[in-house]
Amino acid sequence: MPETERIAILDNDGTMWVEKPMYVQLFFVMDRLKQMAEADPALLDQPHFKAATKGDLTYFFGLDPHAGGDFKELMKTVFDSHAGMSQDDFMLMAKEFLETAKHPRFGMLYKDLTYKPMVELAHYLDDNGFKVFLASGGGMSFLRTVSEEIYNIPKERVIGSNISFETRMTDEGPVIFRKKGLVDPLDDGPGKPVNIELHIGRKPILAAGNSDGDLHMLWLARKSGQRSLSLLLRHDDAKHEYAYDEGSEKTLQMAKERGWIVISMKDDWKKVF
Amino acid sequence: MPETERIAILDNDGTMWVEKPMYVQLFFVMDRLKQMAEADPALLDQPHFKAATKGDLTYFFGLDPHAGGDFKELMKTVFDSHAGMSQDDFMLMAKEFLETAKHPRFGMLYKDLTYKPMVELAHYLDDNGFKVFLASGGGMSFLRTVSEEIYNIPKERVIGSNISFETRMTDEGPVIFRKKGLVDPLDDGPGKPVNIELHIGRKPILAAGNSDGDLHMLWLARKSGQRSLSLLLRHDDAKHEYAYDEGSEKTLQMAKERGWIVISMKDDWKKVF
């Protein structure tokens, strides 16, 4: 297999690191919404500011597409909370969160809750001439703040959903700001092959995911015209992590029909974190 | 300098290959418009189809922003001519053009009209641990068909202006199609830092361009916080290539004021192609 064709793409939330009790980035957003409402109490009229201020996780659980929430609405809440600031400021804020915030159940930093066998896979692929990309349904920039540290995956190989940017000219030169507005498509479902084309221009020969948002990407790998591997991670280890199939039903069914490999966290892994 | 920071970004048209008598991609588009008008003569009511069919280069020269044309209008003409087809079909068509079409003055394939000293620079940087990217005002996909062959720059390191894509599900899986509609921003002027953030997430420490469309990118390199190099290529060799400053006036002025390095094709290069 020529090196140019050795493209591997890994979903992040639920495939490379923990996504329960809710997406890591949502905890970050809650902090931000709370800060914003402290500065401007009029914002408390809006349900997500109110929920963040009260620490009402249930409200945010309900936004999760795995639990039947609307992904676009969710991402609007996520991205709007950081619109208007410079990209450099955003990156500092995200990095600080990931260096300090801890998971409510495991008491560890979120960035340490990566799946050991998946990180080993990424390193193994890297050692064998693969270019390993992340394709996250979550925010591209958020993940880029730690991708090099936790996975050895460089920033330019992190694909994700996006707010739109703009360049403002200042006396000190161009500065990137975060504008309101989701970039279409979000990096989920049919948006994943689109963003793979935009960022890579090649089909992956290995794709790994864990939910229906990865279905299109997993199928895309089978269309590379090369020998390929589609891996679906199943969360079935409530003892060491979580057990849930919600939001993955279609892809589990498709994997069965098409012979994609299903990884059982319970049966196939010695260690989760 | 750590390897992660060694990012170099090179503009393509007029910096890495010839852009006169007009952008290479415009010759490709003329072929396509002609074909479309042959299939549907009603299209000849529109000036660009008429001009393409008559081989009226003057009409297309006028679209060039270097000659005062509107870049957005130009790109709409370029991209709309390939909307509606699959991305795979587009790539084959672009590749075929670049493997056969010849430059009207030099009689060589366009893809062979790359600037030898700039290609040497790209290889030198590559040999020294740099990640070398192309940032083209022109179409990203068009350039990706030959970037590996002519520059040894992999597809995922080609940034450019874009049509929007969509995934259509078929019985054989997901297929990417080219939709009507320019992706905002085009990869020109203030759009270049935006797309650099999207595709790389780091500021370049070396940037090279040749026109006012590169001004923001050249300035961005000076803001990397590292030792950096901004290179402006000046077309002043009418004998071996072309001599023109139109569309580069602001950047030439800025280079003078800020001490960016101006490369004279006439004085500094032994060989152009």
Side-chain angles (χ1 to χ4, degrees):
Chain A
M1 184 78 66
E3 290 222 356
T4 48
E5 301 299 329
R6 293 184 215 166
I7 304 285
I9 309 190
L10 313 169
D11 169 57
N12 190 56
D13 292 299
T15 304
M16 295 299 290
W17 76 12
V18 69
E19 66 175 356
K20 292 286 174 191
M22 65 181 191
Y23 295 129
V24 176
Q25 195 168 358
L26 269 177
F27 285 103
F28 171 58
V29 166
M30 278 181 76
D31 277 3
R32 170 75 182 157
L33 293 171
K34 198 176 160 192
Q35 278 170 21
M36 289 169 83
E38 276 164 12
D40 178 9
L43 292 171
L44 291 169
D45 290 347
Q46 297 172 50
H48 50 295
F49 287 100
K50 199 170 152 190
T53 302
K54 291 170 66 183
D56 176 7
L57 288 182
T58 321
Y59 173 85
F60 290 96
F61 291 163
L63 296 176
D64 189 333
H66 287 298
D70 177 322
F71 189 63
K72 237 173 180 164
E73 267 309 300
L74 170 72
M75 294 309 278
K76 202 172 146 4
T77 301
V78 168
F79 285 135
D80 279 2
S81 68
H82 292 97
M85 66 171 64
S86 79
Q87 176 68 351
D88 286 348
D89 286 347
F90 172 81
M91 295 299 274
L92 284 174
M93 195 178 275
K95 198 162 188 297
E96 200 198 328
F97 173 82
L98 286 164
E99 276 170 2
T100 54
K102 288 184 176 168
H103 190 278
R105 172 175 158 198
F106 299 109
M108 289 164 68
L109 296 179
Y110 293 106
K111 66 174 183 173
D112 292 334
L113 292 169
T114 57
Y115 303 135
K116 206 171 157 60
M118 293 306 288
V119 177
E120 280 170 10
L121 173 65
H123 292 172
Y124 176 80
L125 291 168
D126 192 41
D127 289 343
N128 284 278
F130 272 78
K131 292 174 181 166
V132 183
F133 289 78
L134 292 170
S136 177
M140 177 192 77
S141 304
F142 181 74
L143 185 51
R144 280 183 177 172
T145 61
V146 289
S147 64
E148 296 181 354
E149 177 191 342
I150 65 179
Y151 305 130
N152 200 30
I153 293 178
K155 288 181 184 179
E156 74 271 13
R157 292 199 185 144
V158 178
I159 307 170
S161 296
N162 278 304
I163 202 167
S164 55
F165 301 124
E166 67 180 338
T167 302
R168 291 189 204 156
M169 277 307 250
T170 71
D171 288 346
E172 283 82 41
V175 179
I176 309 278
F177 278 83
R178 295 170 72 86
K179 287 204 298 187
K180 271 206 173 189
L182 301 178
V183 169
D184 187 48
L186 292 172
D187 203 42
D188 190 58
K192 283 197 165 173
V194 165
N195 283 319
I196 288 168
E197 184 62 30
L198 174 64
H199 283 268
I200 311 178
R202 271 201 168 83
K203 293 177 184 74
I205 61 168
L206 186 153
N210 77 304
S211 81
D212 291 346
D214 303 310
L215 192 154
H216 297 75
M217 178 175 82
L218 293 170
W219 200 343
L220 190 71
R222 311 304 280 192
K223 296 204 64 197
S224 61
Q226 308 282 351
R227 291 178 67 177
S228 66
L229 204 54
S230 301
L231 301 172
L232 177 61
L233 181 60
R234 189 173 183 194
H235 293 267
D236 55 5
D237 186 349
K239 190 177 161 203
H240 299 103
E241 206 243 8
Y242 295 91
Y244 57 97
D245 285 335
E246 295 78 23
S248 310
E249 296 90 340
K250 282 184 212 161
T251 311
L252 280 164
Q253 178 63 28
M254 185 75 88
K256 199 186 284 181
E257 284 168 21
R258 301 195 161 254
W260 303 347
I261 293 176
V262 179
I263 303 168
S264 158
M265 293 177 76
K266 191 170 167 225
D267 298 335
D268 300 328
W269 286 5
K270 279 195 195 150
K271 221 175 152 158
V272 173
F273 301 122
Chain B
M1 183 79 65
E3 289 222 357
T4 48
E5 300 299 329
R6 292 184 215 166
I7 302 286
I9 309 191
L10 313 170
D11 168 58
N12 189 56
D13 292 298
T15 303
M16 294 300 289
W17 75 13
V18 69
E19 66 175 356
K20 292 287 176 189
M22 64 181 193
Y23 295 128
V24 175
Q25 196 169 356
L26 270 177
F27 286 103
F28 171 58
V29 166
M30 279 182 73
D31 278 3
R32 170 75 182 157
L33 293 172
K34 201 176 156 190
Q35 279 170 19
M36 290 169 82
E38 276 163 12
D40 177 9
L43 293 169
L44 290 169
D45 289 347
Q46 298 173 50
H48 51 294
F49 286 100
K50 198 169 151 189
T53 302
K54 290 170 67 184
D56 176 8
L57 288 182
T58 321
Y59 173 85
F60 290 96
F61 291 162
L63 296 177
D64 189 334
H66 287 297
D70 177 323
F71 188 63
K72 237 175 180 163
E73 267 309 300
L74 170 72
M75 293 311 277
K76 204 173 145 3
T77 301
V78 168
F79 285 135
D80 279 1
S81 68
H82 293 97
M85 67 172 65
S86 80
Q87 176 69 350
D88 285 349
D89 285 347
F90 172 81
M91 295 299 274
L92 284 175
M93 196 179 275
K95 198 159 190 294
E96 199 197 330
F97 172 83
L98 286 163
E99 275 170 1
T100 53
K102 289 184 176 169
H103 189 279
R105 173 176 157 197
F106 299 111
M108 289 164 66
L109 295 179
Y110 292 106
K111 68 174 182 172
D112 291 335
L113 292 168
T114 58
Y115 303 135
K116 206 171 158 59
M118 295 305 289
V119 177
E120 280 171 9
L121 173 64
H123 292 172
Y124 176 81
L125 292 167
D126 191 42
D127 289 343
N128 284 277
F130 272 78
K131 291 172 181 169
V132 183
F133 289 79
L134 293 171
S136 178
M140 177 193 77
S141 304
F142 181 73
L143 186 52
R144 280 182 176 173
T145 60
V146 289
S147 65
E148 297 181 353
E149 176 192 343
I150 66 179
Y151 304 129
N152 200 28
I153 294 178
K155 287 181 185 178
E156 73 272 14
R157 292 198 185 144
V158 178
I159 305 170
S161 295
N162 280 304
I163 203 168
S164 55
F165 301 124
E166 66 180 338
T167 302
R168 292 190 204 155
M169 278 307 249
T170 71
D171 288 345
E172 282 82 41
V175 179
I176 308 280
F177 278 82
R178 296 171 70 87
K179 286 205 297 187
K180 271 208 173 190
L182 301 177
V183 170
D184 187 48
L186 291 172
D187 202 42
D188 189 60
K192 282 197 166 172
V194 164
N195 282 318
I196 288 168
E197 185 62 30
L198 174 64
H199 283 267
I200 311 179
R202 273 202 166 82
K203 294 179 184 70
I205 62 167
L206 186 153
N210 76 305
S211 81
D212 291 347
D214 302 312
L215 193 154
H216 298 75
M217 178 175 82
L218 292 170
W219 200 344
L220 189 71
R222 313 303 280 193
K223 299 204 62 198
S224 62
Q226 309 282 353
R227 291 178 67 179
S228 66
L229 203 54
S230 301
L231 301 172
L232 177 61
L233 180 59
R234 189 175 183 194
H235 293 266
D236 54 5
D237 187 349
K239 193 175 158 202
H240 298 103
E241 205 245 5
Y242 295 92
Y244 58 97
D245 285 335
E246 294 80 22
S248 311
E249 296 90 341
K250 283 184 209 161
T251 311
L252 280 164
Q253 179 63 28
M254 186 74 90
K256 200 186 283 182
E257 286 168 18
R258 302 197 159 251
W260 301 348
I261 292 175
V262 178
I263 303 168
S264 158
M265 291 178 76
K266 192 171 166 222
D267 298 336
D268 300 329
W269 286 5
K270 280 194 194 150
K271 221 175 153 154
V272 173
F273 302 123

